[in-house]
Amino acid sequence: MALSSISTFFHLGLLLLFANAMPSLASAKTHYHDFVVQATPVKRLCNTHSTITVNGQYPGPTLEVNNGDTLVVNVVNRAQYNVTIHWHGVRQMRTAWADGPEFVTQCPIRPGGSYTYRFTIEGQEGTLWWHAHSSWLRATVYGALIIHPKEGSSYPFQKPKRETPILLGEWWNANPIDVVREATRTGAAPNVSDAYTINGQPGDFYNCSSADTVIVPMDAGETNLLRVINSGMNQQLFFTVANHKLTVVGADASYLKPFTTNVIMLGPGQTTDVLITSDQPPARYYIAARAYASAQGAPFDNTTTTAILEYKTAPCPAKGGASSKPVNASLPKFNDTATATAFTTSLRSPQKAEVPTDIDESLFFTVGLGINQCPPGANKASTCQGPNGTRFAASMNNISFVLPSNFSLLQAHHQGIPGVFTTDFPAAPPVKFDYTGNVSQSLWQPVPATKVYKLKYGAKVQVVLQGTSIFTAENHPIHLHGYDFYIVAEGFGNFNPQTDTAKFNLVDPPMRNTASVPVGGWAVIRFVADNPGTWLLHCHLDVHITWGLAMSFLVEDGVGILQTLEAPPADLPVC
C-alpha cells in the first residue's frame, strides 16, 4: 500500500474514532447553579426558627444531571457561620478541591465570601446528595443530587412512571449549632432531635404539622422510583410504606441486584433506590420512618415521621371521613438488629464485580467511642458532664481526629506546608484487645492528633472496620470521601482473619460509599486508591465526627496528568 494511502487510512480511522466519541461528548452538559446560604424563617412544630438554608429552601434544591455531566455551583455565604458544601458520594476524580469537608480539602467559606465548586460526574448513576460539611449546618443545609443515565442510555430495570426523592431528616426545636456548641462545652452527649422529617415535614404525628404532611400521588397500577436519602444527623432509620412491597434496585449511586422487602434501613449518608407499584386498593397509605437505635441505654428520638402515598382515585380527605385516614405502617422495633442485618446482607452487585484482590495495604481500624478524663483545674460540674465526670470522645485506632485550623490538609499536602499533619496514622490499633467485650478502662482515653495514612496511587486497599464496645457498642455508618468501595463481608464480635476471611464475597458484593458497621461487629471494605488527594474516612453520625471519629487517607499522585491532582482553583477560600 502506498504511503499516501496509509496516511489517508490512518486519518479516516482517527475521524471515525472521534465521530464515535462525539455523541457522548456532545450529550454531556454543564449545569450552572447558584447556592445562597442564608438565614430563613422556617416554621416547624408550632415554632418559627431562623434557619440556615440554601436559596431559602428547606430542604435545599434538588440537582438533576446525567452521568458524564459537569456541575458548576457558585456558593455565596450570607449566613453568620462558616460553611462548605460536600457532594456526598461524588467520586471527584482529580478534583479533590471540590469535595468540601471543612479543613480537609478546603478552608471554609467565611460569612460574606463565596466559592465555586466545579466537578464532573464520571461513571455514576442513581441517587446521591449534597450537604454542608461544617459544624452541624447540615441539619438544614442539604438536598438531593440525582444522576440519570447518559443520554440514550436507560435504567437496568423498567423505566418507572414517576420518580420521587424522599429526604429523611432530623429537626431540632433549637439552633443545631447551639446544640453542638453546648455539648462541646459540657462534654456530654448533645440533645436528641425533636422530630424526624420527610422532605422537610415532620408529618401527621407531630404538633402543628399534619396540614403540611408530604403527599406522594400515584395512579393505580403505576410504578414509582423512590429515591430515599437518610439526611439525618445522628440516627439510622427504618423506612417502609404501609401494605406495599419495596423492590431495592440501587444504593449510593450504584445499581444492585433487585430484591423485594417490606422495610429498608439507612444510616446517615446512605441512599437507597426502591421501586414501588400501586397495586393495593385505592386509598391513602402512610410512608413512615423511625429510629433504628442500636446503642444500648443511649437516649434517642423515638418519634415517627410520615408522608402519605395517595392513590388518585382514593376518597378526598374532606369527604371521606374516617375511611380516608391513611393506612398505618408497621415498622420494626427500635433495636431490631436482626431486621437491619437481614437488609444490609441482602445487597448484591448486579453482575460479577471487579473486587480488588492481591491486596497491597491491609488495614485494621477500630471505630468507636471513648472517654476523656476531666482536665486538671476544669469545673467538673459544667465542663465534664459525660459519664462519671468525664467528657465524651471518639476515635479510630485510638486516635481522636483533630481538624487543622490554619490550612486544609489538602493545601498543606499540595504546597508542602509542614506542621499541619503527620503521616503516621497506625495501620492497626496500637494495642490489641477484646474489641467488643469488656474493654479495660485503661484503653478508654484516645489520643487527640491530626494524622493521615499515606497510600500510593493504584494501591489495592482492604480496611477491616472493627466496632468497639467502649462505653457502648452501636452501628456506625462509616463514609469514605472520593471513593466507592466494595463491602465484602460483615459480622458480629471481633473480626477473626483465620475464620472470617472465608466469608468474603469476592463475586458480587455491593458497591457503596457509606458502610453500616454492625453494632458490636465489623465490616470489611476494599477499593483501589486511584484518586489523588486527601480523603476523609469518618462516622456519619455527626456527634461522633464532632468527638473525633475520623481519619484521612492521603493518596499520592500517580504518573502523568490523568493520575495527578488538578491545580487548586483561583477562588479557593483562604483560612
Side-chain angles (χ1 to χ4, degrees):
M1 191 185 280
L3 198 59
S4 61
S5 304
I6 292 172
S7 172
T8 308
F9 201 71
F10 177 70
H11 283 114
L12 267 172
L14 274 180
L15 278 168
L16 275 170
L17 197 69
F18 190 64
N20 285 337
M22 277 302 281
S24 61
L25 289 172
S27 64
K29 296 186 180 73
T30 301
H31 303 261
Y32 295 89
H33 295 276
D34 289 304
F35 275 16
V36 178
V37 180
Q38 61 192 35
T40 304
V42 174
K43 186 174 186 182
R44 294 291 184 277
L45 310 184
C46 319
N47 299 306
T48 300
H49 295 267
S50 179
T51 300
I52 306 302
T53 66
V54 168
N55 299 352
Q57 296 171 239
Y58 166 66
T62 293
L63 305 185
E64 296 198 49
V65 299
N66 291 81
N67 180 2
D69 287 356
T70 296
L71 272 163
V72 179
V73 185
N74 180 43
V75 178
V76 177
N77 186 6
R78 292 197 186 138
Q80 68 193 88
Y81 307 107
N82 294 339
V83 73
T84 64
I85 302 290
H86 169 51
W87 314 93
H88 184 112
V90 172
R91 284 294 317 269
Q92 297 290 1
M93 300 303 293
R94 303 176 48 242
T95 53
W97 304 106
D99 188 46
E102 181 179 63
F103 295 116
V104 177
T105 58
Q106 67 167 98
C107 297
I109 307 167
R110 304 288 182 189
S114 67
Y115 177 48
T116 300
Y117 293 88
R118 293 177 175 83
F119 55 92
T120 299
I121 307 290
E122 296 183 44
Q124 295 183 280
E125 293 178 13
T127 306
L128 295 176
W129 63 301
W130 57 265
H131 61 80
H133 212 299
S134 185
S135 184
W136 273 26
L137 279 188
R138 82 168 181 87
T140 54
V141 178
Y142 64 86
L145 172 54
I146 294 169
I147 308 168
H148 298 286
K150 285 186 178 178
E151 297 273 352
S153 300
S154 59
Y155 299 121
F157 45 84
Q158 193 169 353
K159 192 173 191 318
K161 179 89 180 287
R162 294 172 191 271
E163 299 186 13
T164 308
I166 302 279
L167 291 101
L168 309 175
E170 278 184 274
W171 176 265
W172 275 262
N173 252 338
N175 178 347
I177 302 290
D178 292 344
V179 173
V180 68
R181 283 179 177 172
E182 176 67 4
T184 302
R185 186 185 68 78
T186 64
N191 290 344
V192 299
S193 53
D194 295 290
Y196 299 112
T197 57
I198 293 177
N199 294 354
Q201 294 294 344
D204 285 1
F205 302 159
Y206 299 89
N207 291 338
C208 309
S209 301
S210 55
D212 298 307
T213 297
V214 169
I215 306 286
V216 177
M218 282 182 78
D219 284 318
E222 76 178 24
T223 299
N224 192 341
L225 176 62
L226 302 183
R227 300 176 175 275
V228 190
I229 302 166
N230 186 348
S231 337
M233 294 287 286
N234 293 316
Q235 193 60 63
Q236 292 85 352
L237 295 167
F238 287 123
F239 173 89
T240 193
V241 181
N243 291 18
H244 287 72
K245 295 278 189 199
L246 306 173
T247 300
V248 178
V249 292
D252 294 0
S254 291
Y255 293 119
L256 293 168
K257 199 171 284 176
F259 69 96
T260 300
T261 178
N262 295 322
V263 65
I264 63 174
M265 191 281 286
L266 307 95
Q270 293 183 324
T271 74
T272 308
D273 290 348
V274 297
L275 295 171
I276 181 169
T277 301
S278 43
D279 53 7
Q280 296 299 303
R284 307 168 86 231
Y285 297 87
Y286 272 130
I287 299 168
R290 78 174 183 195
Y292 163 47
S294 61
Q296 210 174 345
F300 66 96
D301 179 349
N302 63 3
T303 61
T304 302
T305 181
T306 55
I308 297 169
L309 181 75
E310 184 173 87
Y311 284 56
K312 289 183 179 173
T313 50
C316 289
K319 296 175 189 168
S323 67
S324 74
K325 279 190 176 162
V327 177
N328 267 333
S330 172
L331 281 156
K333 289 180 178 168
F334 295 117
N335 63 350
D336 191 345
T337 292
T339 295
T341 305
F343 174 71
T344 55
T345 54
S346 296
L347 274 53
R348 294 280 184 276
S349 284
Q351 57 268 323
K352 186 164 178 14
E354 293 179 21
V355 186
T357 52
D358 304 323
I359 298 300
D360 302 306
E361 294 273 4
S362 190
L363 309 174
F364 188 102
F365 292 175
T366 55
V367 298
L369 300 190
I371 299 286
N372 282 332
Q373 295 305 317
C374 201
N379 182 337
K380 219 168 188 176
S382 61
T383 61
C384 299
Q385 293 179 21
N388 303 318
T390 61
R391 293 177 60 82
F392 270 116
S395 68
M396 287 192 177
N397 280 356
N398 208 44
I399 307 295
S400 193
F401 188 71
V402 178
L403 286 169
S405 55
N406 295 330
F407 300 95
S408 72
L409 296 178
L410 191 60
Q411 280 173 300
H413 162 59
H414 187 71
Q415 297 168 20
I417 300 164
V420 178
F421 62 84
T422 59
T423 57
D424 55 346
F425 186 87
V431 178
K432 286 184 178 171
F433 58 97
D434 180 3
Y435 308 112
T436 54
N438 196 2
V439 183
S440 161
Q441 291 210 8
S442 64
L443 297 167
W444 283 30
Q445 182 146 335
V447 179
T450 309
K451 295 177 185 286
V452 306
Y453 191 90
K454 225 178 215 184
L455 292 171
K456 285 202 176 343
Y457 185 92
K460 294 170 181 170
V461 184
Q462 174 178 294
V463 187
V464 176
L465 298 164
Q466 172 69 61
T468 67
S469 59
I470 295 172
F471 187 68
T472 183
E474 65 185 291
N475 183 297
H476 294 278
I478 303 294
H479 172 49
L480 176 58
H481 288 232
Y483 287 89
D484 288 322
F485 50 72
Y486 290 108
I487 304 176
V488 297
E490 63 173 72
F492 293 98
N494 298 336
F495 177 77
N496 182 337
Q498 273 70 48
T499 54
D500 290 330
T501 309
K503 301 171 188 168
F504 285 9
N505 174 7
L506 303 180
V507 179
D508 60 355
M511 183 184 268
R512 304 212 68 169
N513 61 54
T514 305
S516 291
V517 177
V519 52
W522 50 268
V524 181
I525 65 171
R526 287 186 177 187
F527 63 97
V528 178
D530 60 358
N531 192 11
T534 55
W535 303 109
L536 199 60
L537 177 78
H538 68 93
C539 184
H540 221 280
L541 303 175
D542 271 43
V543 57
H544 290 178
I545 190 173
T546 304
W547 290 337
L549 215 174
M551 59 80 66
S552 181
F553 286 113
L554 193 167
V555 180
E556 297 174 323
D557 285 342
V559 178
I561 192 167
L562 294 179
Q563 297 182 1
T564 302
L565 177 70
E566 288 182 2
D571 65 338
L572 189 73
V574 293
C575 286

